[in-house]
């Protein structure tokens, strides 16, 4: 399985801090998003937000980045600390 | 949950990062930067606090969330880049998380160097990249309710300006 976690506004929009996606159903970050949308139709709009950022195993990556079983994929809005 | 981590892996020797719910003492942090450090003549500190206003609204408080496993690593990378670019001595970065009231301290960046230019520039660089890279998110409580803050284009441009 691929572990998926959400932060901040996205976490609240999805009503969920995280979930899992089968590694058989997604081999890239973009495919993880599709798999999440299939899990829950209401999530599709929020995940389609182009401003969303993604990190795999704590490294910032783009949508084409490859994912595998055991990875931690995080989706979150642009950061606003400081 | 408080986490205090001292990073002592070669290039980030003399750099300390702390992500914490507790407040910090500005004077104490300056003392730590200066203590037994007579090579450096310059100490530059920045601290950020919770304003009572934003975008024309009265702010009542802030909530700060972060991505624990990622935050310190990203801050360490930013400090490492600053150390490669300027001749700096000690670095301390503190960022608070959780619920913060008006006037409370949010963030501290302290940098020492032999001469002032390096400490001034490195401090600003670290703060500029913390703003756009470190995975923290602010939720603001205003008179109209709670809102997650949007990232500012001006912050992005400020960080990008360092690569020009």
């Amino acid at each position: 399985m691929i572990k998926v976690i959400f932060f901040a506004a996205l976490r609240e929009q999805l009503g969920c801090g995280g979930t899992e996606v089968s590694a058989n159903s997604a081999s890239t970050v973009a495919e993880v998003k599709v798999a999440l949308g299939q899990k829950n139709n209401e999530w599709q709009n929020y995940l389609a937000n182009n401003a969303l950022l993604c990190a795999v195993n704590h490294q910032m990556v783009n949508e084409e980045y490859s994912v595998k079983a055991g990875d931690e994929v995080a989706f979150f809005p642009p950061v606003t600390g400081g | 949950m408080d986490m205090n981590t001292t990073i002592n892996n070669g290039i980030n020797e003399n750099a300390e990062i702390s992500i914490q719910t507790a407040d910090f003492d500005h004077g104490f942090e300056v003392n730590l930067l200066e203590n037994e450090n007579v090579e450096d003549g310059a100490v530059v500190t920045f601290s950020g606090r919770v304003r009572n206003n934003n975008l024309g609204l009265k702010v009542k408080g802030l909530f700060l969330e972060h991505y624990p496993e990622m935050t310190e690593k990203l801050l360490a990378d930013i400090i490492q880049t600053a150390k490669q670019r300027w001749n700096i001595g000690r670095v301390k970065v503190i960022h608070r998380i959780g619920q913060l009231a008006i006037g409370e301290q949010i963030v501290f960046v302290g940098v020492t160097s032999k001469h002032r230019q390096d400490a001034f520039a490195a401090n600003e660089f670290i703060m500029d990249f913390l703003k756009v890279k470190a995975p923290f998110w602010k939720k603001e409580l205003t008179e109209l309710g709670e809102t997650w803050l949007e990232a500012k284009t001006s912050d992005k441009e400020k960080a990008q300006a360092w690569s020009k």
Side-chain angles (χ1 to χ4, degrees), chain A:
Chain A
M1 297 298 275
I2 294 165
K3 182 183 175 189
V4 185
I5 51 177
F6 311 115
F7 288 98
L10 181 67
R11 176 173 48 75
E12 291 189 351
Q13 287 160 351
L14 304 186
C16 160
T19 182
E20 285 187 326
V21 163
S22 162
N24 297 327
S25 66
S27 62
T28 64
V29 167
E31 288 172 11
V32 170
K33 276 191 182 178
V34 172
L36 290 169
Q38 285 164 356
K39 262 175 122 67
N40 187 331
N41 289 338
E42 291 172 18
W43 288 2
Q44 284 175 10
N45 280 344
Y46 298 117
L47 292 166
N49 176 359
N50 283 331
L52 280 189
L53 301 175
C54 179
V56 174
N57 302 330
H58 317 128
Q59 294 274 3
M60 298 302 300
V61 299
N62 60 29
E63 297 248 310
E64 288 76 49
Y65 192 84
S66 294
V67 293
K68 60 184 187 310
D71 281 351
E72 176 173 299
V73 180
F75 292 105
F76 44 82
V79 302
T80 55

Side-chain angles (χ1 to χ4, degrees), chain A residues 78-81, chain B residues 51 54-55 124 127-129 131-132 150-162 164:
Chain A
V79 302
T80 55
Chain B
R51 279 197 315 279
N54 190 28
L55 306 168
E124 191 173 15
M127 199 54 219
D128 285 352
F129 279 88
K131 289 285 262 187
V132 298
E150 304 255 339
K152 288 189 219 152
T153 314
S154 57
D155 285 334
K156 204 174 174 183
E157 287 167 355
K158 183 78 170 58
Q160 281 168 347
W162 287 102
K164 278 175 191 163

